[in-house]
Tab-separated table of all heavy atoms in Angstrom:
chain	number	residue	atom	x	y	z
A	1	TYR	N	157.752	-56.802	-21.106
A	1	TYR	CA	156.418	-56.661	-20.350
A	1	TYR	C	156.022	-58.061	-19.656
A	1	TYR	O	155.545	-58.211	-18.665
A	1	TYR	CB	155.388	-56.279	-21.338
A	1	TYR	CG	153.984	-56.187	-20.718
A	1	TYR	CD1	153.572	-55.110	-19.647
A	1	TYR	CD2	153.072	-57.138	-20.882
A	1	TYR	CE1	152.407	-55.189	-19.049
A	1	TYR	CE2	151.736	-57.254	-20.332
A	1	TYR	CZ	151.573	-56.202	-19.401
A	1	TYR	OH	150.281	-56.263	-18.743
A	2	HIS	N	156.306	-59.210	-20.518
A	2	HIS	CA	156.015	-60.469	-20.038
A	2	HIS	C	157.037	-61.140	-19.171
A	2	HIS	O	156.994	-62.189	-18.885
A	2	HIS	CB	155.639	-61.361	-21.224
A	2	HIS	CG	154.385	-61.086	-21.893
A	2	HIS	ND1	154.071	-60.231	-22.724
A	2	HIS	CD2	153.006	-61.706	-21.509
A	2	HIS	CE1	152.770	-60.239	-23.095
A	2	HIS	NE2	152.200	-61.138	-22.293
A	3	GLY	N	158.078	-60.372	-18.778
A	3	GLY	CA	159.253	-60.810	-18.006
A	3	GLY	C	160.294	-61.459	-18.543
A	3	GLY	O	161.251	-61.876	-17.902
A	4	ALA	N	160.522	-61.388	-19.919
A	4	ALA	CA	161.640	-61.923	-20.535
A	4	ALA	C	162.827	-61.176	-20.242
A	4	ALA	O	162.835	-59.843	-20.100
A	4	ALA	CB	161.461	-61.919	-22.001
A	5	ALA	N	164.035	-61.763	-20.056
A	5	ALA	CA	165.176	-60.991	-19.555
A	5	ALA	C	166.050	-60.788	-20.766
A	5	ALA	O	167.100	-60.104	-20.612
A	5	ALA	CB	165.925	-61.939	-18.607
A	6	GLY	N	165.794	-61.334	-22.045
A	6	GLY	CA	166.562	-60.977	-23.151
A	6	GLY	C	165.707	-61.360	-24.404
A	6	GLY	O	164.833	-62.292	-24.237
A	7	VAL	N	166.017	-60.750	-25.558
A	7	VAL	CA	165.331	-61.085	-26.774
A	7	VAL	C	166.289	-61.460	-27.889
A	7	VAL	O	167.243	-60.705	-28.135
A	7	VAL	CB	164.408	-59.853	-27.255
A	7	VAL	CG1	163.694	-60.307	-28.472
A	7	VAL	CG2	163.487	-59.420	-26.198
A	8	LEU	N	165.961	-62.587	-28.687
A	8	LEU	CA	166.719	-62.978	-29.759
A	8	LEU	C	165.703	-62.982	-30.986
A	8	LEU	O	164.689	-63.671	-31.066
A	8	LEU	CB	167.187	-64.419	-29.723
A	8	LEU	CG	168.078	-64.738	-28.388
A	8	LEU	CD1	168.309	-66.289	-28.396
A	8	LEU	CD2	169.413	-64.063	-28.573
A	9	LEU	N	166.017	-62.043	-31.974
A	9	LEU	CA	165.300	-61.750	-33.067
A	9	LEU	C	165.859	-62.542	-34.284
A	9	LEU	O	167.037	-62.540	-34.469
A	9	LEU	CB	165.129	-60.310	-33.398
A	9	LEU	CG	164.467	-59.432	-32.366
A	9	LEU	CD1	164.776	-57.964	-32.603
A	9	LEU	CD2	162.976	-59.662	-32.417
A	10	VAL	N	164.937	-63.061	-35.143
A	10	VAL	CA	165.503	-63.869	-36.270
A	10	VAL	C	164.525	-63.647	-37.495
A	10	VAL	O	163.277	-63.503	-37.319
A	10	VAL	CB	165.666	-65.296	-36.007
A	10	VAL	CG1	164.253	-66.002	-35.688
A	10	VAL	CG2	166.235	-66.086	-37.215
A	11	ASN	N	165.082	-63.522	-38.698
A	11	ASN	CA	164.365	-63.249	-39.926
A	11	ASN	C	163.634	-64.516	-40.428
A	11	ASN	O	164.215	-65.546	-40.260
A	11	ASN	CB	165.370	-62.872	-41.121
A	11	ASN	CG	166.047	-61.493	-40.877
A	11	ASN	OD1	165.357	-60.608	-40.329
A	11	ASN	ND2	167.236	-61.298	-41.297
A	12	THR	N	162.433	-64.317	-40.772
A	12	THR	CA	161.877	-65.451	-41.582
A	12	THR	C	162.366	-65.449	-42.901
A	12	THR	O	163.050	-64.456	-43.484
A	12	THR	CB	160.286	-65.268	-41.583
A	12	THR	OG1	159.997	-64.069	-42.228
A	12	THR	CG2	159.700	-65.226	-40.170
A	13	VAL	N	162.160	-66.587	-43.618
A	13	VAL	CA	162.511	-66.596	-44.990
A	13	VAL	C	161.821	-65.724	-45.759
A	13	VAL	O	162.371	-64.925	-46.785
A	13	VAL	CB	162.390	-68.103	-45.440
A	13	VAL	CG1	162.834	-68.196	-47.048
A	13	VAL	CG2	163.199	-69.064	-44.738
A	14	ASP	N	160.485	-65.630	-45.751
A	14	ASP	CA	159.630	-64.633	-46.377
A	14	ASP	C	160.006	-63.211	-46.230
A	14	ASP	O	160.157	-62.344	-47.235
A	14	ASP	CB	158.153	-64.749	-46.151
A	14	ASP	CG	157.575	-65.979	-46.860
A	14	ASP	OD1	158.181	-66.421	-47.739
A	14	ASP	OD2	156.467	-66.283	-46.465
A	15	TYR	N	160.502	-62.835	-45.032
A	15	TYR	CA	160.905	-61.431	-44.716
A	15	TYR	C	162.179	-61.138	-45.266
A	15	TYR	O	162.454	-60.018	-45.720
A	15	TYR	CB	160.947	-61.225	-43.105
A	15	TYR	CG	161.233	-59.838	-42.649
A	15	TYR	CD1	160.350	-58.750	-43.072
A	15	TYR	CD2	162.326	-59.632	-41.968
A	15	TYR	CE1	160.730	-57.503	-42.642
A	15	TYR	CE2	162.697	-58.398	-41.501
A	15	TYR	CZ	161.897	-57.331	-41.909
A	15	TYR	OH	162.149	-56.124	-41.474
A	16	ASP	N	163.203	-62.023	-45.234
A	16	ASP	CA	164.551	-61.740	-45.800
A	16	ASP	C	165.177	-63.154	-46.132
A	16	ASP	O	165.847	-63.817	-45.372
A	16	ASP	CB	165.423	-61.060	-44.669
A	16	ASP	CG	166.725	-60.666	-45.333
A	16	ASP	OD1	167.010	-61.076	-46.438
A	16	ASP	OD2	167.457	-59.889	-44.600
A	17	LYS	N	165.075	-63.404	-47.398
A	17	LYS	CA	165.586	-64.653	-47.972
A	17	LYS	C	167.101	-64.771	-47.835
A	17	LYS	O	167.628	-65.853	-47.495
A	17	LYS	CB	165.244	-64.771	-49.412
A	17	LYS	CG	165.607	-66.159	-50.001
A	17	LYS	CD	165.218	-66.285	-51.431
A	17	LYS	CE	165.489	-67.585	-52.025
A	17	LYS	NZ	165.101	-67.814	-53.494
A	18	GLU	N	167.751	-63.613	-47.951
A	18	GLU	CA	169.229	-63.554	-47.738
A	18	GLU	C	169.773	-63.630	-46.242
A	18	GLU	O	170.822	-63.819	-46.067
A	18	GLU	CB	169.859	-62.362	-48.379
A	18	GLU	CG	169.436	-62.307	-49.955
A	18	GLU	CD	169.902	-63.502	-50.610
A	18	GLU	OE1	171.051	-63.966	-50.382
A	18	GLU	OE2	169.181	-64.035	-51.609
A	19	ASP	N	168.749	-63.411	-45.335
A	19	ASP	CA	169.031	-63.413	-43.920
A	19	ASP	C	170.202	-62.480	-43.522
A	19	ASP	O	171.106	-62.902	-42.974
A	19	ASP	CB	169.296	-64.921	-43.551
A	19	ASP	CG	169.216	-64.951	-41.946
A	19	ASP	OD1	168.606	-64.188	-41.371
A	19	ASP	OD2	169.773	-65.969	-41.387
A	20	GLU	N	170.038	-61.261	-44.001
A	20	GLU	CA	171.099	-60.257	-43.683
A	20	GLU	C	170.997	-59.749	-42.253
A	20	GLU	O	169.898	-59.633	-41.623
A	20	GLU	CB	170.917	-59.049	-44.548
A	20	GLU	CG	171.378	-59.400	-46.076
A	20	GLU	CD	171.185	-58.197	-46.825
A	20	GLU	OE1	170.937	-57.010	-46.359
A	20	GLU	OE2	171.391	-58.193	-48.099
A	21	ILE	N	172.282	-59.542	-41.603
A	21	ILE	CA	172.333	-58.926	-40.306
A	21	ILE	C	172.104	-57.513	-40.407
A	21	ILE	O	172.550	-56.704	-41.234
A	21	ILE	CB	173.766	-59.214	-39.721
A	21	ILE	CG1	173.912	-60.665	-39.298
A	21	ILE	CG2	173.905	-58.462	-38.501
A	21	ILE	CD1	173.072	-61.179	-38.233
A	22	LYS	N	171.066	-57.076	-39.645
A	22	LYS	CA	170.771	-55.456	-39.650
A	22	LYS	C	172.001	-54.618	-39.125
A	22	LYS	O	172.585	-55.013	-38.125
A	22	LYS	CB	169.670	-55.318	-38.592
A	22	LYS	CG	169.014	-53.839	-38.739
A	22	LYS	CD	167.871	-53.822	-37.575
A	22	LYS	CE	167.371	-52.441	-37.465
A	22	LYS	NZ	166.519	-52.078	-38.636
A	23	LYS	N	172.327	-53.729	-39.928
A	23	LYS	CA	173.373	-52.855	-39.582
A	23	LYS	C	173.051	-52.002	-38.453
A	23	LYS	O	171.923	-51.545	-38.154
A	23	LYS	CB	173.825	-51.965	-40.791
A	23	LYS	CG	174.376	-52.667	-42.000
A	23	LYS	CD	174.756	-51.777	-43.107
A	23	LYS	CE	175.424	-52.587	-44.275
A	23	LYS	NZ	175.846	-51.724	-45.338
A	24	LEU	N	174.143	-51.595	-37.700
A	24	LEU	CA	173.910	-50.825	-36.421
A	24	LEU	C	173.674	-49.355	-36.931
A	24	LEU	O	174.626	-48.865	-37.596
A	24	LEU	CB	175.079	-50.836	-35.500
A	24	LEU	CG	175.194	-52.031	-34.553
A	24	LEU	CD1	176.575	-51.885	-33.903
A	24	LEU	CD2	174.045	-51.986	-33.548
A	25	ARG	N	172.473	-48.811	-36.527
A	25	ARG	CA	172.253	-47.376	-36.881
A	25	ARG	C	171.644	-46.729	-35.655
A	25	ARG	O	170.852	-47.336	-34.946
A	25	ARG	CB	171.282	-47.302	-38.006
A	25	ARG	CG	171.857	-47.725	-39.362
A	25	ARG	CD	170.848	-47.516	-40.447
A	25	ARG	NE	171.357	-48.011	-41.805
A	25	ARG	CZ	172.069	-47.300	-42.600
A	25	ARG	NH1	172.513	-46.104	-42.351
A	25	ARG	NH2	172.478	-47.859	-43.742
A	26	PRO	N	171.888	-45.540	-35.473
A	26	PRO	CA	171.208	-44.746	-34.261
A	26	PRO	C	169.748	-44.954	-34.300
A	26	PRO	O	169.201	-44.981	-35.491
A	26	PRO	CB	171.599	-43.390	-34.435
A	26	PRO	CG	172.885	-43.417	-35.175
A	26	PRO	CD	172.750	-44.558	-36.056
A	27	GLU	N	169.017	-45.283	-33.219
A	27	GLU	CA	167.629	-45.480	-33.183
A	27	GLU	C	166.978	-44.353	-32.296
A	27	GLU	O	166.983	-44.505	-31.074
A	27	GLU	CB	167.237	-46.881	-32.581
A	27	GLU	CG	165.815	-47.216	-32.740
A	27	GLU	CD	165.331	-47.650	-34.220
A	27	GLU	OE1	166.098	-48.423	-34.742
A	27	GLU	OE2	164.377	-46.976	-34.787
A	28	ASN	N	166.550	-43.342	-32.985
A	28	ASN	CA	165.943	-42.179	-32.168
A	28	ASN	C	164.431	-42.233	-32.262
A	28	ASN	O	163.888	-42.816	-33.241
A	28	ASN	CB	166.477	-40.828	-32.678
A	28	ASN	CG	167.817	-40.598	-32.340
A	28	ASN	OD1	168.224	-40.297	-31.257
A	28	ASN	ND2	168.776	-40.616	-33.333
A	29	GLY	N	163.799	-41.624	-31.262
A	29	GLY	CA	162.355	-41.572	-31.348
A	29	GLY	C	161.600	-42.898	-30.791
A	29	GLY	O	160.473	-42.915	-30.749
A	30	VAL	N	162.392	-43.872	-30.211
A	30	VAL	CA	161.679	-45.022	-29.679
A	30	VAL	C	162.438	-45.235	-28.339
A	30	VAL	O	163.598	-44.793	-28.103
A	30	VAL	CB	161.892	-46.312	-30.495
A	30	VAL	CG1	161.128	-46.170	-31.866
A	30	VAL	CG2	163.270	-46.822	-30.750
A	31	SER	N	161.811	-45.939	-27.405
A	31	SER	CA	162.343	-46.063	-26.016
A	31	SER	C	163.434	-47.235	-26.193
A	31	SER	O	163.247	-48.201	-26.815
A	31	SER	CB	161.359	-46.534	-25.136
A	31	SER	OG	160.396	-45.579	-25.067
A	32	PRO	N	164.566	-46.943	-25.530
A	32	PRO	CA	165.560	-48.185	-25.539
A	32	PRO	C	165.005	-49.249	-24.717
A	32	PRO	O	164.396	-49.127	-23.797
A	32	PRO	CB	166.844	-47.469	-25.041
A	32	PRO	CG	166.297	-46.302	-24.199
A	32	PRO	CD	165.118	-45.793	-24.886
A	33	ALA	N	165.619	-50.436	-25.062
A	33	ALA	CA	165.205	-51.629	-24.302
A	33	ALA	C	165.878	-51.753	-22.980
A	33	ALA	O	166.946	-51.173	-22.746
A	33	ALA	CB	165.513	-52.931	-25.053
A	34	LYS	N	165.274	-52.254	-21.982
A	34	LYS	CA	166.004	-52.624	-20.701
A	34	LYS	C	166.616	-53.901	-20.572
A	34	LYS	O	167.045	-54.332	-19.415
A	34	LYS	CB	164.965	-52.315	-19.622
A	34	LYS	CG	164.354	-50.900	-19.423
A	34	LYS	CD	163.285	-50.804	-18.349
A	34	LYS	CE	162.799	-49.306	-18.371
A	34	LYS	NZ	161.776	-49.102	-17.185
A	35	VAL	N	166.488	-54.661	-21.701
A	35	VAL	CA	167.144	-56.012	-21.625
A	35	VAL	C	167.970	-56.070	-22.884
A	35	VAL	O	167.802	-55.404	-23.965
A	35	VAL	CB	165.970	-57.004	-21.811
A	35	VAL	CG1	165.009	-57.087	-20.466
A	35	VAL	CG2	165.066	-56.934	-23.108
A	36	PRO	N	168.959	-57.108	-22.953
A	36	PRO	CA	169.696	-57.310	-24.195
A	36	PRO	C	168.833	-57.756	-25.320
A	36	PRO	O	167.945	-58.686	-25.125
A	36	PRO	CB	170.735	-58.377	-23.661
A	36	PRO	CG	170.062	-59.115	-22.645
A	36	PRO	CD	169.226	-58.042	-21.824
A	37	VAL	N	169.135	-57.336	-26.471
A	37	VAL	CA	168.366	-57.534	-27.716
A	37	VAL	C	169.332	-57.994	-28.747
A	37	VAL	O	170.289	-57.052	-29.040
A	37	VAL	CB	167.490	-56.535	-28.138
A	37	VAL	CG1	166.561	-56.876	-29.259
A	37	VAL	CG2	166.428	-56.008	-27.052
A	38	ILE	N	169.329	-59.181	-29.378
A	38	ILE	CA	170.237	-59.445	-30.312
A	38	ILE	C	169.488	-60.170	-31.562
A	38	ILE	O	168.472	-60.946	-31.486
A	38	ILE	CB	171.176	-60.599	-29.811
A	38	ILE	CG1	171.955	-60.249	-28.483
A	38	ILE	CG2	172.232	-61.233	-30.740
A	38	ILE	CD1	172.621	-61.344	-27.782
A	39	GLN	N	169.921	-59.751	-32.755
A	39	GLN	CA	169.355	-60.337	-33.937
A	39	GLN	C	170.381	-61.482	-34.215
A	39	GLN	O	171.605	-61.330	-34.317
A	39	GLN	CB	169.339	-59.457	-35.108
A	39	GLN	CG	168.933	-60.125	-36.480
A	39	GLN	CD	169.098	-59.341	-37.734
A	39	GLN	OE1	169.422	-58.197	-37.706
A	39	GLN	NE2	168.895	-60.000	-38.838
A	40	ILE	N	169.964	-62.706	-34.457
A	40	ILE	CA	170.741	-63.840	-34.869
A	40	ILE	C	170.399	-64.400	-36.221
A	40	ILE	O	169.225	-64.200	-36.812
A	40	ILE	CB	170.557	-64.951	-33.819
A	40	ILE	CG1	169.160	-65.449	-33.918
A	40	ILE	CG2	171.097	-64.556	-32.524
A	40	ILE	CD1	168.948	-66.630	-32.755
A	41	LYS	N	171.297	-64.983	-36.812
A	41	LYS	CA	171.051	-65.669	-38.246
A	41	LYS	C	170.218	-66.875	-38.054
A	41	LYS	O	170.166	-67.564	-36.922
A	41	LYS	CB	172.377	-66.048	-38.862
A	41	LYS	CG	173.429	-64.915	-39.110
A	41	LYS	CD	173.083	-64.029	-40.337
A	41	LYS	CE	173.528	-64.850	-41.554
A	41	LYS	NZ	173.484	-64.063	-42.814
């Protein structure tokens, strides 16, 4: 919405101390993004 062309998501330590990469699973019921979205370590 604010014009970003891509999103990099990263875990905080409190949220995930082990910093696991989220497994790919089908995401139904939400709108797909129109930009590339990547989780990084």
Side-chain angles (χ1 to χ4, degrees):
Y1 173 78
H2 283 89
V7 180
L8 302 172
L9 296 166
V10 61
N11 292 323
T12 61
V13 177
D14 280 350
Y15 183 63
D16 186 352
K17 186 176 181 180
E18 302 302 320
D19 195 20
E20 293 184 0
I21 289 288
K22 185 181 175 76
K23 292 183 178 180
L24 280 175
R25 295 183 183 276
E27 190 77 50
N28 287 289
V30 299
S31 301
K34 296 181 179 179
V35 299
V37 182
I38 303 174
Q39 182 194 347
I40 62 175
K41 299 279 281 188

